[in-house]
Amino acid sequence: MFKRILSLLLLVSLSAPFAAKADEGMWLPMLIKRLNHTDMQKQGLKLTAEEIYSVNNSSLKDAIVQFGGFCTGEFISPEGLLLTNHHCGYGAIQANSTPQNDYLTNGFWATSKDQELPNEGLFVDILVRMDDVTGKVLEGITASTSETERAKLVAERMAAISKEAGNNGQYVSYVRDFYNGNEFYLFIYERFTDVRLVGTPPSSVGKYGGDTDNWMWPRHTGDFSMFRVYMAADGKPAAYSKSNVPYKPKHHLPINIADKTPGDFSMVFGFPGRTKRFMTSHGLKLEVNQLNKSRIKLRERKLALWKEDMDKADATRIQYASKYASTANYYKYSIGQNEGITRMHTIEGKLVDEDKFQAWANDAQRKATYGNVLNEIAAAYNTIEKYNLHNIYLNETVLGTESLMMAYRFSALNNALKSGDAAAAQRAAQDLQGRLDGFFKDYNAATDKKVFAAMMKFYSEDIAKDQQPAAFKAMVAKYKGDFNKLADHVYSNSFVVNKQKTEAFLKNPTQKKLEADPAFAIVNSILENYLTTIKPKLDEANAKLATANRLYVAGVRLMNPDKVFYPDANSTLRLSYGSVKDYSPQDGVVYNYYTTMDGLMAKEDPNNEEFEVPAKLKELYNKKDYGRYANSKGEMVVNFITDNDITGGNSGSPVINGRGELTGLAFDGNWEAMTGDLVYDADYKRCINMDSRYLLFIIEKYAGANNLISEMTIVDKPSPGPADAASASVSKGNTPQAELLDAVMTEAKQNLNNGKDEFKIEKKKGDVKVKLQIKD
């Protein structure tokens, strides 16, 4: 497009500038036509709103899947070939790996469909449609409806709508609340459970940089893996069977291998997990001072103990690789989030917003509804703070210890045994039996024993004594606070740490033997104490908080009638849009918008597993054998950044240009913007992506998997360029400067189409002057 623009000068006499800013927001695709499409077109979008989201016709949404319930994937061929991140497929890769066939270390590539590997329990959800059901959920509910009655009615209606939409099990369906319970939307999916591993690079490519580079830019990571979705011959979802056939998606993404330039339009389509951007200062303080600090402390110790044993044996390394990666991810995230909140003065900014809200709420007509909302939020958080540490430690130390998590899974069996329901007990025992192979395949009792001792010590020391169960305190006292001796007792006498002993118990389970098991006794005492003593207090406080938060968000939206608010992320399909863009992390430093294999090789360290480079990759680099995937400078681009708004769950999301072509694969955020779940930072927020060219280079030149390349639709055409993005610098509405700039850009396009290599356009309207100069 406008590759020849050298300068675009806007001279405006206004009280405030209207400089281009990043496009904040994770938007519902069904609302794009009404809320965002015009802005997206100004930034370079060439698709219609219906080509992005349509219920009746093929659209971009049909190429996007929720992968395993925790990541995003996208179809890149008409044969159901699916692309996602390496770290999203990591569990499946690890599950298929053995010391003899170590796909984590060596990679895996199926040269034909019959070599593709099944993955028990892995699924993808493909969106059929989404609907606004706010009216149905809130029908008849008024300000005079009590909160108890409101909650009951809302829950019943959400369940009824979901059940009806599921069509007797044909679909996975659910209703989610938005804007803290002010709106409700229904989501209907088809779930496919035959998902097979097709290809993965070695971890030295897929995890290059490891924990050191995690959340960092510059990056040089080939973070991708490939799967294929299968269906029954009649086109319906089906369990794994050799007779199944590749899924035929309604839409698949072409892959663009042209150069990228700053300002190129980009959108990220995926399933962001959870953001809390309407959270008040009280909630932020709790996140920083309690949740994040606790998570950092506990996970740091657990990771160190795991790593110690992983470094000693390959078998242990493989067993704990996936668990280590997932635990480390949000350990580091918590560190960055706390640093970012301090740097950005986020809490102070929230306090300013709350002062404005309170002034608005004090108006006589609004005071009865909104005047006490912030006080109610503060009171709820004061109660939550007293008990929430127990909640955190239950998840991190108790259920975060493998043996105790396994013991916890026996709770349903224990309840059935206590009730005397033989049929329920048999079902529970069978369910547990089915879990044993997967659990013990990736379990090392000696490693877990160290973690147990460390975690129980933290629990005992950090949880208020009056919140601890008497049985646990008695056990600690019995061993005089020596948690290594407590661990000796538990791991010598519990059956849950040994597969054969667990199987023997399940053949003839009794309540007496189960409750005498020391691992189960610890979990059972802590869980029972939590459910009877702690949870009721937290539930009461959280119910009050939910009510106050709902009113707060409703008030904020009423207070700003001209602002279009996007809802917090909640693992539902969203679209964010922005552009390719560099950034400056600190004074005097500017980060380029892309990295190359030159930087990858500069980081190489054969003595550090995080920075090992495979021999064949080095050979290709030394020969500069990049095939058609080098950029116009002859470089092999590895990663690039955009200012798209993303969060966890967006991992594996496609980065898509203005024509609907895949240009990259989102896999991370940057360290300077770890506050992203809580507040958007336009200056620092960046989405880190693997370049589409590096993806295809690894598949074709490194792996030689030309069978996969032949399935794809590959496009070599520049994306909508920075001049298209320039028009996005104009604010919304029919302002004089917007009209003027649109006129200039229209004339510029006509001149370019007429083949003019050099021209100048100047226009003036009132105090607004626009000058555009284009040279070859």
Side-chain angles (χ1 to χ4, degrees):
M1 287 279 174
F2 294 155
K3 299 293 183 183
R4 293 170 288 177
I5 291 182
L6 294 185
S7 64
L8 172 60
L9 180 63
L10 301 176
L11 303 177
V12 187
S13 299
L14 297 170
S15 59
F18 57 99
K21 70 176 184 66
D23 282 282
E24 175 183 350
M26 303 173 193
W27 304 92
L28 285 167
M30 67 176 288
L31 303 180
I32 289 295
K33 183 175 183 178
R34 176 164 58 89
L35 299 180
N36 312 99
H37 192 243
T38 299
D39 287 342
M40 294 169 73
Q41 286 179 310
K42 289 179 179 179
Q43 295 198 33
L45 177 68
K46 303 303 177 187
L47 304 176
T48 65
E50 287 73 21
E51 287 173 317
I52 294 173
Y53 176 87
S54 175
V55 174
N56 299 314
N57 300 302
S58 169
S59 60
L60 283 184
K61 81 162 176 65
D62 298 312
I64 316 300
V65 309
Q66 189 166 37
F67 183 86
F70 50 83
C71 277
T72 302
E74 53 275 351
F75 291 115
I76 55 172
S77 91
E79 293 292 310
L81 188 62
L82 190 72
L83 179 65
T84 190
N85 284 156
H86 183 271
H87 72 262
C88 293
Y90 202 72
I93 301 164
Q94 182 263 339
N96 281 292
S97 294
T98 65
Q100 294 74 35
N101 293 303
D102 189 351
Y103 301 137
L104 286 175
T105 299
N106 303 318
F108 167 80
W109 302 95
T111 57
S112 61
K113 292 184 177 67
D114 61 359
Q115 294 180 359
E116 296 169 358
L117 302 176
N119 298 280
E120 185 177 355
L122 184 59
F123 63 88
V124 300
D125 287 340
I126 304 173
L127 182 68
V128 177
R129 73 175 194 273
M130 59 180 73
D131 292 319
D132 183 349
V133 293
T134 305
K136 292 181 180 179
V137 173
L138 298 181
E139 184 179 2
I141 294 175
T142 67
S144 62
T145 305
S146 71
E147 285 301 319
T148 301
E149 181 65 12
R150 186 188 195 278
K152 178 176 177 291
L153 289 172
V154 166
E156 289 174 350
R157 292 168 182 179
M158 289 174 69
I161 293 168
S162 298
K163 183 178 180 179
E164 182 181 0
N167 197 26
N168 295 318
Q170 179 182 0
Y171 301 112
V172 173
S173 57
Y174 49 77
V175 176
R176 292 272 169 86
D177 74 280
F178 290 76
Y179 302 106
N180 289 57
N182 285 289
E183 294 182 14
F184 298 84
Y185 290 80
L186 168 68
F187 297 84
I188 302 173
Y189 298 88
E190 271 197 302
R191 174 167 293 181
F192 289 83
T193 56
D194 187 355
V195 183
R196 306 181 195 180
L197 178 63
V198 174
T200 173
S203 292
S204 54
V205 172
K207 283 191 65 179
Y208 188 78
D211 293 324
T212 301
D213 273 5
N214 190 23
W215 301 111
M216 296 297 180
W217 182 259
R219 287 291 280 281
H220 302 83
T221 310
D223 196 346
F224 79 97
S225 57
M226 306 178 78
F227 294 78
R228 193 182 306 279
V229 178
Y230 281 78
M231 63 183 181
D234 62 2
K236 296 179 181 178
Y240 170 78
S241 170
K242 290 184 178 180
S243 65
N244 285 349
V245 298
Y247 175 73
K248 306 292 184 184
K250 294 179 182 178
H251 185 81
H252 73 275
L253 300 178
I255 300 177
N256 188 291
I257 60 172
D259 281 1
K260 300 169 182 64
T261 57
D264 282 358
F265 177 83
S266 68
M267 51 185 166
V268 171
F269 223 142
F271 292 84
R274 185 158 295 277
T275 56
K276 295 177 278 190
R277 293 184 182 167
F278 288 104
M279 180 180 278
T280 63
S281 60
H282 308 285
L284 283 175
K285 290 174 185 176
L286 196 69
E287 292 271 329
V288 170
N289 297 322
Q290 194 178 81
L291 174 60
N292 285 344
K293 285 185 178 180
S294 298
R295 182 186 286 150
I296 292 164
K297 172 183 175 179
L298 300 173
R299 293 195 178 194
E300 185 170 77
R301 182 60 178 150
K302 184 187 297 183
L303 289 166
L305 292 170
W306 279 350
K307 191 68 165 62
E308 184 179 282
D309 285 5
M310 290 169 71
D311 288 343
K312 292 177 181 177
D314 282 344
T316 308
R317 174 182 56 79
I318 292 172
Q319 285 177 319
Y320 282 83
S322 182
K323 289 178 279 195
Y324 186 96
S326 61
T327 301
N329 195 38
Y330 271 80
Y331 157 71
K332 191 169 184 178
Y333 179 91
S334 297
I335 296 172
Q337 189 176 79
N338 274 10
E339 290 183 4
I341 288 172
T342 300
R343 172 181 55 79
M344 290 177 63
H345 305 288
T346 306
I347 294 173
E348 294 86 343
K350 289 284 187 179
L351 289 169
V352 171
D353 292 340
E354 288 159 24
D355 286 343
K356 293 178 182 177
F357 176 86
Q358 191 62 58
W360 173 86
N362 285 338
D363 179 89
Q365 292 182 326
R366 295 186 283 261
K367 194 165 186 176
T369 303
Y370 301 105
N372 202 40
V373 163
L374 288 174
N375 290 332
E376 291 169 351
I377 289 174
Y381 273 117
N382 284 338
T383 301
I384 291 169
E385 185 177 7
K386 293 177 184 178
Y387 301 102
N388 199 48
L389 192 64
H390 194 291
N391 196 23
I392 296 165
Y393 273 53
L394 175 64
N395 287 288
E396 292 287 341
T397 66
V398 182
L399 302 182
T401 300
E402 292 171 281
S403 62
L404 299 183
M405 183 62 187
M406 174 54 81
Y408 165 72
R409 289 177 177 146
F410 281 75
S411 299
L413 175 59
N414 191 52
N415 292 335
L417 292 170
K418 283 197 294 186
S419 69
D421 188 336
Q426 185 179 12
R427 289 194 299 271
Q430 289 173 344
D431 176 69
L432 288 163
Q433 183 64 50
R435 294 172 178 264
L436 297 188
D437 287 344
F439 176 78
F440 283 105
K441 175 181 181 291
D442 296 327
Y443 179 70
N444 185 298
T447 301
D448 190 50
K449 182 179 176 182
K450 297 177 185 178
V451 173
F452 171 90
M455 295 300 106
M456 291 301 96
K457 187 172 189 292
F458 281 133
Y459 183 92
S460 178
E461 292 176 348
D462 297 348
I463 296 296
K465 291 295 187 285
D466 62 352
Q467 292 183 21
Q468 295 181 22
F472 176 78
K473 289 189 286 187
M475 194 175 290
V476 172
K478 180 179 179 180
Y479 292 97
K480 299 178 181 179
D482 188 329
F483 289 90
N484 289 319
K485 289 184 178 179
L486 175 59
D488 288 338
H489 167 70
V490 171
Y491 284 73
S492 296
N493 294 282
S494 174
F495 62 77
V496 302
V497 301
N498 180 280
K499 184 179 180 182
Q500 289 72 34
K501 290 181 179 180
T502 304
E503 287 176 328
F505 170 79
L506 289 174
K507 288 178 181 178
N508 185 27
T510 66
Q511 179 188 348
K512 182 178 179 180
K513 187 172 182 180
L514 178 55
E515 292 185 348
D517 184 276
F520 184 80
I522 288 174
V523 171
N524 198 38
S525 66
I526 291 175
L527 187 63
E528 186 175 311
N529 174 69
Y530 174 77
L531 293 174
T532 58
T533 306
I534 306 300
K535 188 174 182 293
K537 296 181 175 66
L538 285 171
D539 285 349
E540 182 181 358
N542 279 313
K544 293 178 179 177
L545 178 62
T547 300
N549 274 336
R550 187 182 75 246
L551 291 171
Y552 176 66
V553 173
V556 168
R557 295 172 77 188
L558 283 173
M559 188 175 73
N560 299 278
D562 296 328
K563 181 175 180 179
V564 179
F565 288 90
Y566 59 90
D568 271 321
N570 57 2
S571 294
T572 55
L573 187 62
R574 305 294 181 91
L575 182 150
S576 71
Y577 59 97
S579 61
V580 175
K581 192 174 184 181
D582 56 20
Y583 74 106
S584 175
Q586 62 190 62
D587 184 42
V589 177
V590 176
Y591 282 154
N592 193 21
Y593 66 95
Y594 72 91
T595 62
T596 70
M597 278 194 69
D598 292 338
L600 184 152
M601 293 304 302
K603 288 181 177 179
E604 182 194 14
D605 182 356
N607 299 314
N608 183 344
E609 64 178 8
E610 294 185 333
F611 295 98
E612 293 176 348
V613 179
K616 185 170 183 181
L617 192 59
K618 285 195 284 187
E619 179 184 346
L620 291 167
Y621 171 76
N622 290 331
K623 292 180 179 179
K624 299 296 183 283
D625 185 6
Y626 305 142
R628 56 177 167 165
Y629 305 120
N631 68 6
S632 58
K633 297 180 181 179
E635 302 166 320
M636 185 67 252
V637 176
V638 179
N639 296 153
F640 69 101
I641 50 175
T642 64
D643 61 8
N644 289 97
D645 194 358
I646 65 160
T647 190
N650 273 124
S651 291
S653 294
V655 184
I656 303 172
N657 68 13
R659 288 189 300 272
E661 300 155 351
L662 184 143
T663 62
L665 186 62
F667 69 88
D668 211 352
N670 58 316
W671 181 255
E672 296 84 4
M674 289 295 91
T675 57
D677 285 356
L678 305 173
V679 62
Y680 184 86
D681 185 340
D683 293 327
Y684 291 102
K685 181 72 172 178
R686 292 296 179 271
C687 174
I688 301 176
N689 316 294
M690 185 186 67
D691 196 282
S692 57
R693 292 165 290 188
Y694 192 58
L695 164 74
L696 298 180
F697 163 74
I698 292 294
I699 296 170
E700 180 179 325
K701 304 295 289 185
Y702 175 82
N706 290 298
N707 57 305
L708 302 179
I709 295 292
S710 65
E711 286 189 45
M712 305 175 198
T713 304
I714 299 174
V715 179
D716 189 356
K717 182 180 180 182
S719 295
D724 284 329
S727 65
S729 65
V730 180
S731 59
K732 298 177 181 178
N734 296 318
T735 58
Q737 61 265 33
E739 294 173 353
L740 195 56
L741 184 54
D742 282 345
V744 170
M745 300 306 287
T746 299
E747 187 173 340
K749 289 179 182 179
Q750 183 177 357
N751 279 303
L752 285 175
N753 291 335
N754 291 334
K756 294 185 178 181
D757 292 329
E758 183 174 343
F759 58 88
K760 183 186 297 184
I761 303 169
E762 293 188 31
K763 291 184 181 292
K764 185 175 181 180
K765 185 174 182 179
D767 293 330
V768 182
K769 181 180 180 182
V770 177
K771 177 181 178 182
L772 176 67
Q773 184 174 355
I774 298 182
K775 294 182 179 180
D776 190 10

